[in-house]
Amino acid sequence: MLESLYAGSIEDAAKRAEQVSLNDIERMALAAKPPLDALEAFAPAKHIKVLAEVKRASPSRGQMAEISDPANLAEVYAQNGASGISVLTEERKFKGSLHDLDAVRHRVEVPLLRKDFIANEYQILEARAHGADIILLIVAGLPPKRLIELQHFTEELNMLPFLETHSEDEAKFAIDTGAQFIGVNARDLSTFETDRNLFGKLVELFPANVIKVAESAVRSADDVRHYRQAGADVVLVGEALVTNDAAKLLAEFTAI
C-alpha cells in the first residue's frame, strides 16, 4: 500500500510539473513568506500540544468527512488551541489537494504541515510555495540516503522536517539523522491495525532535545492522556476531530 501511495503522489506531482516547471516552483518557494518557527510552536509545555489534521478520507477508513471549507475547519482548530495544522494534500486516497493548503494558509497563522507522500525536491518546493512550514518524511517510505537528502533540502528552505517512524529501527535511524521533530505512528502500514502502546515502547530511545509526536489511535481524551503519560509532547489528531465536535475535543485535549 505505501509503495502505491508514493507512486501515485509522484505521478501527480509530475503532472503538476508539466504546468509549473521546477524553476518556476523554486522561484515561488523562495518568494513565499518565510516559514513560521514550528519548533517553537511545538516546544514541550505544561500541557500536551495538538497537531490538528484536515482529513477527508484515508485508505484504512475510507470517507470520513466532506470538509467543503478546509479553511473554516482550520480556523476552528486554531481558535481552540491547536498549535499547528496538518493538511492532507494527497489526492487519490485522502482526497486532499494543494488548494486545501492554500486555503488554510490564507486563514490561519499557525505552522502548517504538508502531509503527503514526499519523495522529491519538487514536492518540497511546492509545499513551501503554498505556505507549508513542515514537511512529512516517512522513514518506511524512502531509502535512507534519499530521506537524508530530502531532510537537508527541507532544512535549507528553513522548513522543519517531520520524520515519521513505525518501529524501533526506524526510530533509531530518525534520531541518528539529528531530526528534532519525530513521530511514532501507531498504525501498522501492512495491516492498518493500531497499537497505542508502540509510542511508549519507543519513547525512551529519544533524546531530550527531540519533540516527540504520537500519531494514530487518538480517539478520545483517554487516548491523549495515555500518550501524555508515556511522554508525548504532541499528538497528531485527524479522524476524531473531523467526525466530532472539534472545538469541544480540542478543549479537552489541550488541557491534558
Side-chain angles (χ1 to χ4, degrees):
M1 173 60 77
L2 190 60
E3 185 177 345
S4 66
L5 288 168
Y6 269 95
S9 284
I10 292 168
E11 183 179 341
D12 291 342
K15 290 178 181 176
R16 291 192 298 273
E18 293 175 0
Q19 305 298 318
V20 182
S21 71
L22 177 61
N23 286 339
D24 286 343
I25 201 68
E26 182 175 17
R27 281 195 290 270
M28 292 168 62
L30 295 177
K33 186 177 178 180
L36 298 174
D37 188 341
L39 282 177
E40 180 180 6
F42 289 105
K46 179 180 179 181
H47 299 290
I48 201 161
K49 294 187 174 180
V50 176
L51 179 53
E53 195 156 80
V54 177
K55 184 177 188 179
R56 293 186 179 88
S58 75
S60 60
R61 300 291 291 171
Q63 183 76 27
M64 288 182 286
E66 191 66 30
I67 312 183
S68 59
D69 189 344
N72 183 65
L73 178 60
E75 191 168 46
V76 171
Y77 288 166
Q79 290 178 346
N80 287 278
S83 295
I85 297 170
S86 168
V87 182
L88 265 300
T89 60
E90 196 275 342
E91 301 174 13
R92 302 184 183 206
K93 296 294 185 180
F94 292 88
K95 300 185 179 180
S97 72
L98 286 167
H99 296 299
D100 291 344
L101 186 58
D102 284 331
V104 172
R105 178 74 289 163
H106 289 134
R107 187 71 65 86
V108 302
E109 296 182 1
V110 296
L112 301 186
L113 163 68
R114 180 189 182 184
K115 196 172 185 188
D116 207 320
F117 299 90
I118 303 296
N120 57 51
E121 286 82 359
Y122 185 89
Q123 292 169 298
I124 295 173
L125 289 167
E126 271 187 324
R128 181 79 286 275
H130 290 270
D133 310 287
I134 313 168
I135 290 293
L136 177 68
L137 297 173
I138 303 174
V139 175
L142 295 164
K145 182 180 178 181
R146 187 64 178 135
L147 187 144
I148 292 172
E149 289 173 350
L150 295 178
Q151 179 184 10
H152 291 164
F153 187 76
T154 300
E155 292 168 343
E156 287 171 6
L157 292 170
N158 295 317
M159 302 172 76
L160 178 65
F162 174 32
L163 272 61
E164 177 176 291
T165 69
H166 300 82
S167 69
E168 181 176 341
D169 286 345
E170 291 179 13
K172 288 179 177 178
F173 170 79
I175 293 163
D176 287 344
T177 69
Q180 295 178 275
F181 197 58
I182 304 176
V184 174
N185 194 328
R187 190 172 303 282
D188 187 296
L189 295 175
S190 300
T191 66
F192 291 124
E193 294 180 357
T194 56
D195 176 7
R196 195 180 68 164
N197 294 315
L198 179 62
F199 180 89
K201 295 173 185 175
L202 302 182
V203 70
E204 294 302 323
L205 299 171
F206 293 94
N209 67 318
V210 170
I211 296 174
K212 307 165 208 48
V213 186
E215 305 175 66
S216 295
V218 184
R219 304 175 184 89
S220 67
D222 285 341
D223 294 319
V224 176
R225 192 171 293 107
H226 174 88
Y227 280 133
R228 181 61 166 175
Q229 290 172 348
D233 302 306
V234 181
V235 285
L236 190 154
V237 191
E239 181 179 351
L241 295 178
V242 301
T243 57
N244 294 284
D245 183 334
K248 180 176 181 293
L249 280 185
L250 280 167
E252 294 175 3
F253 293 174
T254 55
I256 293 170

